[in-house]
Amino acid sequence: MFTVAKILELLPNEGSLEIKSIEKMLKLTKKLERSRLHIAIQALTKLGIIQTKEEEFIEKTNDINYISARIRSSSKGFCFAVRDDGGEDIYVREKNLNQAWHGDKVLVKINREAVRRRSPEGKVLCILERSKQNVLATLREEENILYGDPLDERILSLIELPHIDNEYLEKENQNIVDIKITRYPIAQLRATGEVSRKLTLDNGLEGDLEIIKTKYNLLNESKAPNVALKQPILKPRINLQSQPCLLLKSWVSKDSPLLPAIYTEPYKGGMKVWLHVPAISERINFGSKLDDWIKDRSKSICLAIEWKNLLNEKLYEESCLQLNKANEAVTIEFILGKNGEVNSYQFYLSIVEPKNEINPSHIESLLNRKPRSRVIPAKLKAIKDSIQQLENIIHTSKLINQTLIQQGMIELNILYPDLKYLDDFNVFTPGEDYEGWNKPLNLNDPQSILSQFMKLSNIILKNHFNSYQIEHILLVRKGQRDIQINEIIKSALVLESNITVNEDGIVRFEDLIKAMNISPNKELIEKLISNTIPDAKYVLSSNYNNEDKGLIEDNSSYIETPWTSPGQSYSDIINQYILVKLLLDAKSTTKKNVRNENLFGLKNTDNTSESSIFSKSILSTLSKLVNEMVIKDLNSKKDQAKSFKLGLISMIQLRAVENVINKVIEGTITGVQSYGFFVEIEPSKAEGLVHVSSLNDDWYEYRSRQNLLIGRKNKKTFQLGDKVMVKVLKIDLLRNQIDLDINLTADNTSSIEIEEAKISNTKN
């Protein structure tokens, strides 16, 4: 199945492409599929988005008025097009939506430019890609016609269903069904669909999982193709089987992603490090059915008690680094100075044999061991030969962490609640690149320790690829200087944080972090900061370098080339593949007389650009792996995976709150708006809303500057950070909503009232 977005992404920015070539790229083998492609091309031509050149060639038009965006709707019918280029959102009236739904990718044309404070206004010309293939809905019957009413109130359309689906309509119960869309709305015709299955809220975690997977479009679980894997090349590999490297693992669920092995040793006052990454890319034929299957999954996703793994079973088993067995790996070896600086490094292919697997109980026992004690705790006896090595690893991880923080890494300690089924969510997940910030180093978590080495290795590869001007995939987070912190500062001041300004009257981000660390409301401020920082994004290295950034030669910790988690993300598989090609197939044009099999694995000390180190065939393959279309798919899948994760955690939190319905519990106000305030309740950390309409003892005014609601007569306040006692009235599991009520007789008077009283007394 193809989309309009796929067609446009295949067309070059300059020049034309034969329609037969598009058919091959989209792998359209059936006559019906090719017929649909031609219909789409005719429609795009009539809209002026593409044009025909000669008979069988098409190309993009140069009309710059078409803007790529995603539709964001509200339940009230207000719709905006959120631009892909980051420009100002475009307001779209419902009549100009052209039947687009919330989340759909569209092309928009601006009808009216922005004036003063009004947003620009536009209309949807073309729907590039539908975000929903399945929809959660309830059933209702009107005039003998059965309709599906989407639970997502942002989908402003009913779905007409066949009469056969009346069997799912139960008058006495809530009819929650999964509807497969058979026709999206077009012109005056409604959307049509068919019920694929009935869902229930009474089937435990398994039932909740099915609901969340449907909600976030993760249902299509195609069977992995049964294809033969390539065997990694053995000749140039360095044999490191004698090295007692370790596996560090915190996950407990089955099928959790593959992780690297690690070894360190003291070296000239610093440390020498070896990180061995499973050789996954060498086993895949890129462009094959297996590659397409992995690309479509894009991410390994935690499903609470198990994982939906990126790799198929065969690839997983052959690539896994197993104890006391020879395993193929891609290795980075680097030397750290005593202050954490990287003095030298090299990449190469290797064979390794891990000796022990370290879990959290080993770490806990080691950290609780008395200094200089000769007694080996019972939990450490199984790994007694690796104790010194583990101590070296912990010491080095702390050294790397301090260096990364100095280079601008933003750390926020956002913890998930201690609830059932959240074990694997509460440990560090290497390669999970959703957030724009990083979790602090947790010495009780083996994967947190390992992640410091992986992040630094990603940064080293970024600089290595850039020195040769090799196109690759970057993962970019906002740096400290790029983050808008005004709203955070306002909230932090309300929470009585001691924030100072410099000589220019500016609050630096690092000073805000320092003030937060000593604030009694640290947890709440961290949450506010995390909601302000944009998510990490995948970008093409050439695009990022060309945006007035220059060649990235620094070690900025917010820019990485991900390659150390190929069992977690498809982006890492691609970058690992490029690295392997560099090690095996690159040819020097300036150092022909140098006989060094690992020439391109060493640091490029003279920083010369080798523009022709790859053959034309390799460059052609790389261009298919690293392009704008792949980047968009990676970002889309990343956002989808994050939404699913947050949705699943929210469902588990709400299930915990079910136990306290109609009970009064303590909570913290985490947000204040004109329509009410949000309260985080313990221990689930779920957020509920106290609506302003329930505050019937007074007329409450909203003061945005102080983040509070204040009563006109009684001066009672509800302010950000206040502790309040609330009653849980109702929970809506499907819409992720908690309705709360508050005891209005409680003393919620704040310092605002006291200050106003002082002013009044002074005037008198």
Side-chain angles (χ1 to χ4, degrees), residues 433-497:
D433 38 43
Y434 309 146
E435 314 294 353
W437 41 270
N438 297 270
K439 286 188 176 182
L441 172 61
N442 179 4
L443 294 180
N444 292 301
D445 181 353
Q447 288 174 193
S448 179
I449 294 170
L450 177 64
S451 70
Q452 308 302 313
F453 297 92
M454 297 170 69
K455 184 175 179 66
L456 182 56
S457 298
N458 289 344
I459 295 170
I460 293 172
L461 184 62
K462 171 199 68 180
N463 294 331
H464 191 65
F465 278 169
N466 281 332
S467 70
Y468 289 110
Q469 296 188 17
I470 296 173
E471 183 79 295
H472 58 284
I473 297 173
L474 284 175
L475 179 68
V476 178
R477 295 177 172 88
K478 288 284 186 181
Q480 293 178 0
R481 63 172 180 251
D482 299 320
I483 296 172
Q484 301 296 322
I485 63 172
N486 292 337
E487 288 299 315
I488 306 172
I489 293 171
K490 184 178 72 174
S491 300
L493 289 172
V494 169
L495 295 169
E496 300 180 357
S497 299

Side-chain angles (χ1 to χ4, degrees), residues 233-368:
I233 191 168
L234 297 177
K235 185 178 179 181
R237 300 194 112 85
I238 297 176
N239 194 317
L240 297 176
Q241 289 180 258
S242 61
Q243 183 189 88
C245 59
L246 302 178
L247 294 170
L248 277 64
K249 187 175 181 181
S250 310
W251 288 317
V252 296
S253 303
K254 67 176 184 178
D255 297 331
S256 55
L258 303 182
L259 292 170
I262 182 79
Y263 181 77
T264 64
E265 65 182 29
Y267 184 83
K268 295 183 179 180
M271 299 296 293
K272 183 180 282 190
V273 177
W274 287 261
L275 188 74
H276 309 298
V277 181
I280 294 175
S281 65
E282 295 177 72
R283 292 179 160 88
I284 301 171
N285 285 299
F286 287 91
S288 66
K289 291 182 179 179
L290 177 60
D291 176 44
D292 289 342
W293 185 83
I294 295 173
K295 185 194 301 182
D296 185 61
R297 293 168 86 85
S298 189
K299 290 279 183 186
S300 287
I301 299 177
C302 181
L303 305 177
I305 55 176
E306 61 181 5
W307 283 78
K308 176 185 176 183
N309 204 281
L310 172 67
L311 311 178
N312 70 335
E313 185 176 349
K314 190 174 182 181
L315 182 56
Y316 184 97
E317 291 177 354
E318 293 199 15
S319 304
C320 181
L321 300 184
Q322 301 180 45
L323 296 179
N324 303 313
K325 180 181 176 182
N327 305 271
E328 294 86 4
V330 183
T331 294
I332 178 174
E333 175 185 333
F334 57 89
I335 296 173
L336 291 175
K338 61 180 181 180
N339 295 320
E341 69 279 7
V342 178
N343 292 331
S344 65
Y345 66 81
Q346 60 177 319
F347 298 91
Y348 51 84
L349 305 181
S350 63
I351 297 176
V352 298
E353 189 174 321
K355 299 300 186 285
N356 278 307
E357 181 175 293
I358 307 301
N359 60 44
S361 65
H362 296 136
I363 300 285
E364 180 184 12
S365 184
L366 181 63
L367 294 177
N368 292 334

Side-chain angles (χ1 to χ4, degrees), residues 80 86 115-116 139 234 329 354 497 515 591 636 712 745:
F80 286 86
V115 179
R116 297 179 184 176
L139 299 179
L234 297 177
S497 299
K591 302 175 182 178
S636 177
R712 279 188 179 182
T745 62

